[in-house]
Amino acid sequence: MCAVQRTVKGETSSWAGGHTGGSSPYPQLLPQGRGRSLGNDVRCMTLAVGIIGLPNVGKTTLFNALTRAGAGVASYAFSTVEPNTAMVEVPDRRLARLAEMYKPKKSTPTLMKFVDVAGLVKGASRGEGMGNQFLASIRDVDALAMVVRVFRDPNVQHVSGGIDPVADMALVNLELVLADLDVVNRRREKIAPTARFKPSSKEEAEVKLLDRVRAHLDAGQPVRTLSLEAEEALLLKSFALLTAKPVLYVANVDEADIGHDTGPVAALRAEAQRENADMIALSVRLEAELRELPDDEAQAFLHDAGLKEPALDAFIHAAYRLLHLSTFLTAGDPEVRAWTVREGARAPEAAGVIHSDFERGFIRAEVVAFTDLDAAGSYAKARERGQVRLEGKEYVMKDGDVVLFRFNV
């Protein structure tokens, strides 16, 4: 999904990131002329969120509302068999403002990947309802969004016969715990003989870690709530444990309950807070209807419903925060673009998201906060006001930084 950024390699430093056009003294991001390209090594940070839950809770409707993918929806269990996958643009109004200022040839948002799998049922960890197949399809995602049914609709059957959001949440979490226990036990059985005959070996240390994880899972606790050293967390990451992934709970409520912390919603929120997880309440059906309307009609719909913006935007941003991501921006005549970087990343790492050579040859970054640039009205004005800063290798990127990277390779 990422286009290759190319620039000329010369004897002096080159600028990458934009701020071009008009009488600007800066060269363009994609300059024309002689020279050797940087090659095709472009790194994109597009992370995936798996949408899970029991059957008939609104997972696929949410997926369709997010992606407009048109995946099949039915009122019976297992209407989804193969996972649905799509890329979703992360809403960012700052891009539109930069496009007004720079008049670029294109505007490129950052992306997230969403994977919708069939509903999980009791016994999914043992293969019930094709559970093993469905669980395997989400092991490679970076985070989970668990949709929990709060809405009431006699035309949409509930697998357990009644609406009990907290019990539903517990059932899905239990199946994830049991699936992880199976992975841990199989791994322990494989390396235990080596650990016994090689004291102080890496296998012995791994067995001790797996025993801690197993005890935690046996207590019904997700791995993400277990205190781990950095090396331990890195080792467990290779196992793709489901309960180690951060989770966002999505309460799918009736349209009439939007904006109200009803009893079931409050109970779900309390359960989420117990494991330091986030929760968002929305009406998936309403969001799906909004996505089918023209923008002006959708705004009128929101106004009538007493909403300021679609809840889907809030959901996408919540998933973004869940993964501890932030956005920096580049701007110029060819393109204004949003880039994803992990929270706490330093300037060279952010430059490397655009191109590895930008990180390798990093000199410094010219940075202006989007809010300052927006208020100034132009890059030149922001510079006149002293709001454009030169930052070095230790600079920690902030969400909304508009950046020009200086590098030499």
Side-chain angles (χ1 to χ4, degrees), residues 132-151:
N132 288 333
Q133 175 183 333
F134 299 153
L135 289 170
S137 66
I138 58 171
R139 285 205 177 273
D140 291 334
V141 302
D142 302 286
L144 300 174
M146 186 190 298
V147 182
V148 183
R149 178 174 172 176
V150 182
F151 72 89

Side-chain angles (χ1 to χ4, degrees), residues 176-197:
L176 300 182
V177 163
L178 292 174
D180 282 352
L181 266 173
D182 183 57
V183 172
V184 169
N185 286 332
R186 282 189 285 112
R187 175 61 181 174
R188 193 189 187 287
E189 289 174 6
K190 182 177 181 179
I191 65 171
T194 303
R196 283 196 301 270
F197 290 108

Side-chain angles (χ1 to χ4, degrees), residues 33-55:
R34 300 170 62 185
R36 192 176 68 183
S37 79
L38 290 171
N40 296 323
D41 180 15
V42 176
R43 288 181 283 177
C44 306
M45 184 178 288
T46 302
L47 302 184
V49 177
I51 303 175
I52 63 171
L54 295 177

Side-chain angles (χ1 to χ4, degrees), residues 90-102 104 107-110 317 320 325-331 336-340 368-374 398-402:
V90 177
D92 196 332
R93 295 178 178 177
R94 296 171 298 194
L95 276 180
R97 174 59 178 144
L98 288 177
E100 290 178 6
M101 297 170 62
Y102 286 90
S107 178
T108 306
T110 190
H317 288 140
Y320 202 69
L325 304 175
S326 65
T327 300
F328 70 91
L329 305 128
T330 56
V336 295
R337 182 164 184 163
W339 302 87
T340 299
V368 57
F370 170 80
T371 51
D372 291 337
L373 180 59
D374 182 28
K398 297 179 177 60
D399 189 75
D401 279 345
V402 183

